[in-house]
Amino acid sequence: FVQQGNAESNNFGASTGTCQTGINFFSPPTGGYSADCVNAITADLKNRSKFRQTIAEVNLQGGLFELPAGQLRMAIGASYREMNYEFINDTLTTAGRSFQDQALGIYPSGDAFGYIDVKEVYGELLIPLLKDIPFIQELNLEVGGRASKYSTTGTSYTYKVLADWHVTDWLRFRGGYNRAERAPNIGELFLAAQQTFGVNNRGDVCSALNPNNFSANPATNAGGAAGARNVEATCRALMTQAGPDGQALYYGANGTGSPITIPQAVGSFGFAFPTLVGNPNLTPEKADTWTAGVVISSPFASGALSRLRASVDFYDITIKDAIGAQTIGAVQQQCFDPNFNPLVTGASGSAAAANTAASNPFCQLLPRNGTGQLGNVKITYSNAGRVHLRGVDAQLDWGIDVGPGTFTFNEVFNYQFDFESSALYPQLPLIDYAGTTGAGENGLNANPFKYRSLTNFGYSVGPFRAALQWQYYPKLEDGGEATVPGGTPNQSPYPSYSLFNLSANYQVNEDIGIRFGVDNLLNKAPPLGNYNNTVTDATSATTGQLRGGGFLTGVHDTNGRRFWVGGNVRF
């Protein structure tokens, strides 16, 4: 093998690759591959990153004076923080050895530099209001505020008012209000262009099989067949910009009956390789949080319920000007939805009209490749989002003597009433993604389950204790269920999933302890989900389309049963 530059990139690259033995992974040569083969496909990457953080702060706290209900306490402080970051990529084209222009598994990115400093002053007061009167054992108020001056976004103000009401020894109420602001970080402001890999929660809306109401599908487009033709015309204009064969391969040539050779994507889910870049014009995001809760401890000094404790807390969080990377779906909607790009309405009238519609700045962030398919989308961070979260956190703790030891029970439970998000508020309404894989927007965590629980059973006898942990996750639909009218029946959900972990520890003496356990006790495999259930082996063989799907690697266990043992010794 001898190659000047990488043929996959039109011979781009300054070096020549040679390989005396060839590389056949199914039939390795005797004595192994030659050194020039290994050199031709190997790159010793040396990426350099440097982060310097300087922090100086002073804090003062203590009692101020006595009030009828107790001592008024305060805490005040000031701080200065400075963050300086730089990232410098390795450049393969200057290495002089590898003829490839990019290492597999490592996405292209640019060198990045950023600097932020912030000066802050803050204070809190703990105010005892009432004490030892009917129905009020204690009533305390906590107030606080902070002023933060950022070198990038100016001054932000945060504050809180919280109340804590002890009715009796066993009944307590708590809650309050908190205003928070989060200034954009170094990455969000200064990230250099970087290719990433992510989920496209709207699929390819140029497909005539896409279920969104601003797609080229006449059955689902809000404007019917005419609306779908306008979207397709805009798509064809973008495909023509990428090369002469794109629209013919994707749609078939106009009027010639040419067959479509590229299978169009089905459904509202897909993957993409967007190029993400920082946005120095971001402003802080603001959150208003309301909480209300109750804590109940057992009023009994003895008996089966004497060690019972429960708490229930309600929360309501609204985030305005949410900072998040634009989603591919949001960029597509701003291009193809006539509510955002009115020029799409007449795109099917002529080639000139289609080109004008495709010249929309958001359309230009959606290039098509040489075969007409969605190419490398360009996105950045924005403040266009809004989020509303509402739910309940509950916890139950209980213990009872059983036999020679003690049995304990702990339950932590969360229920989401609302997990609403909008990438383009107020132009787009808030959409509730609870119970789905989420929107992938506004910096929110993925997979907002409608509810989930963590249960622990324990038993201890003297120096020995064993515990069984049960994690439960209910069924999870794909994010398209929340955005597509009628849902996405072709996309299979993730079924409910239970994971059990067993652990134990034994304290040999006050200086030596042993611990051991089994994670994923039942060796439960992660379920496959989010795949196209209309694709079979037969249809895949004829169309080349795969059913897709994946695992929830951040939630479900993908490692299988594993054992561990450890110990600690004090000298």
Side-chain angles (χ1 to χ4, degrees):
F1 173 87
V2 177
Q3 176 68 52
Q4 172 68 44
N6 188 350
E8 291 297 324
S9 302
N10 298 317
N11 296 319
F12 177 81
S15 298
T16 299
T18 65
C19 184
Q20 181 180 354
T21 59
I23 297 181
N24 184 345
F25 296 110
F26 300 100
S27 180
T30 303
Y33 305 110
S34 59
D36 62 340
C37 289
V38 177
N39 288 339
I41 64 170
T42 302
D44 298 323
L45 299 182
K46 296 179 179 65
N47 296 326
R48 292 176 292 166
S49 62
K50 178 181 178 181
F51 181 72
R52 188 188 77 241
Q53 182 170 261
T54 302
I55 301 175
E57 65 178 32
V58 57
N59 294 291
L60 178 67
Q61 67 89 24
L64 293 179
F65 50 82
E66 292 293 328
L67 294 174
Q71 187 181 57
L72 176 68
R73 299 187 62 83
M74 68 87 187
I76 58 174
S79 72
Y80 172 80
R81 299 194 309 276
E82 178 182 287
M83 293 154 284
N84 193 0
Y85 179 76
E86 66 178 39
F87 176 78
I88 301 176
N89 281 280
D90 181 279
T91 306
L92 290 182
T93 54
T94 63
R97 188 184 73 184
S98 174
F99 78 104
Q100 301 180 92
D101 62 302
Q102 183 58 45
L104 298 178
I106 300 177
Y107 303 127
S109 63
D111 298 342
F113 305 89
Y115 173 86
I116 297 176
D117 68 55
V118 55
K119 306 175 184 69
E120 294 185 308
V121 292
Y122 43 86
E124 292 186 2
L125 288 175
L126 180 60
I127 308 171
L129 297 179
L130 299 170
K131 185 178 182 179
D132 296 332
I133 63 175
F135 304 108
I136 299 179
Q137 189 178 71
E138 280 187 26
L139 178 59
N140 299 316
L141 191 65
E142 182 180 333
V143 297
R146 178 184 298 255
S148 308
K149 186 176 182 180
Y150 289 85
S151 60
T152 51
T153 57
T155 304
S156 294
Y157 298 97
T158 60
Y159 41 89
K160 65 178 180 179
V161 180
L162 304 175
D164 190 5
W165 173 22
H166 291 253
V167 182
T168 65
D169 288 336
W170 56 270
L171 179 62
R172 172 187 168 203
F173 294 99
R174 60 189 180 189
Y177 167 79
N178 187 87
R179 157 58 69 91
E181 290 196 15
R182 186 182 76 84
N185 58 42
I186 283 181
E188 293 162 340
L189 290 167
F190 306 117
L191 180 70
Q194 173 179 301
Q195 189 181 74
T196 59
F197 176 75
V199 170
N200 175 7
N201 67 323
R202 294 301 181 101
D204 183 0
V205 298
C206 285
S207 169
L209 304 175
N210 186 279
N212 284 283
N213 62 3
F214 57 94
S215 71
N217 187 345
T220 61
N221 189 288
R229 286 194 298 270
N230 288 327
V231 172
E232 180 179 327
T234 307
C235 291
R236 286 180 178 272
L238 290 171
M239 293 172 188
T240 301
Q241 293 176 10
D245 302 322
Q247 64 168 316
L249 291 172
Y250 194 88
Y251 288 120
N254 278 325
T256 66
S258 175
I260 299 173
T261 58
I262 303 299
Q264 295 184 22
V266 178
S268 62
F269 179 84
F271 296 103
F273 292 89
T275 295
L276 178 64
V277 65
N279 180 0
N281 299 313
L282 292 172
T283 60
E285 62 182 20
K286 302 175 179 64
D288 295 300
T289 300
W290 294 90
T291 60
V294 58
V295 180
I296 302 174
S297 301
S298 175
F300 306 108
S302 61
L305 301 180
S306 61
R307 281 175 275 181
L308 183 68
R309 185 179 185 275
S311 64
V312 179
D313 289 281
F314 169 83
Y315 59 86
D316 189 298
I317 305 170
T318 299
I319 304 175
K320 303 174 183 178
D321 302 322
I323 300 172
Q326 295 171 313
T327 64
I328 300 169
V331 177
Q332 287 191 98
Q333 185 154 12
Q334 290 175 97
C335 168
F336 297 111
D337 189 335
N339 292 315
F340 292 91
N341 182 8
L343 296 173
V344 171
T345 304
S348 61
S350 65
N355 288 331
T356 301
S359 66
N360 172 279
F362 290 100
C363 293
Q364 291 301 302
L365 298 177
L366 298 166
R368 314 297 293 193
N369 61 27
T371 60
Q373 295 174 305
L374 187 63
N376 188 11
V377 182
K378 300 178 181 66
I379 57 176
T380 187
Y381 294 94
S382 73
N383 284 109
R386 188 179 177 108
V387 176
H388 177 234
L389 312 175
R390 190 167 61 100
V392 169
D393 288 325
Q395 181 170 336
L396 178 67
D397 295 283
W398 179 53
I400 187 173
D401 294 332
V402 177
T406 301
F407 171 80
T408 58
F409 174 84
N410 168 263
E411 170 70 26
V412 179
F413 181 82
N414 169 261
Y415 187 89
Q416 296 269 13
F417 294 113
D418 301 304
F419 195 96
E420 298 176 315
S421 175
S422 171
L424 301 167
Y425 190 85
Q427 296 93 333
L428 294 180
L430 288 166
I431 296 175
D432 188 2
Y433 289 94
T436 75
T437 53
E441 62 192 17
N442 293 327
L444 294 172
N445 292 331
N447 312 319
F449 290 90
K450 190 69 177 175
Y451 63 93
R452 54 182 172 176
S453 68
L454 176 65
T455 309
N456 289 279
F457 305 91
Y459 189 75
S460 58
V461 179
F464 175 80
R465 174 175 171 78
L468 178 67
Q469 182 189 79
W470 173 28
Q471 301 177 40
Y472 177 76
Y473 301 94
K475 182 177 76 170
L476 196 69
E477 297 281 358
D478 70 282
E481 286 287 324
T483 60
V484 176
T488 54
N490 294 341
Q491 296 294 126
S492 291
Y494 292 92
S496 61
Y497 182 81
S498 289
L499 182 67
F500 292 90
N501 301 313
L502 180 65
S503 64
N505 61 76
Y506 181 74
Q507 194 66 33
V508 179
N509 53 47
E510 63 178 12
D511 296 324
I512 301 174
I514 302 172
R515 57 189 183 274
F516 48 91
V518 185
D519 289 342
N520 197 348
L521 179 66
L522 304 180
N523 201 26
K524 182 66 176 291
L528 183 71
N530 224 0
Y531 60 86
N532 186 347
N533 54 38
T534 64
V535 177
T536 64
D537 290 343
T539 58
S540 180
T542 56
T543 66
Q545 182 181 3
L546 302 177
R547 69 173 184 166
F551 301 111
L552 295 179
T553 56
V555 179
H556 300 162
D557 184 79
T558 57
N559 294 321
R561 184 189 292 121
R562 51 205 181 275
F563 303 85
W564 54 268
V565 62
N568 51 293
V569 179
R570 186 176 64 181
F571 296 96

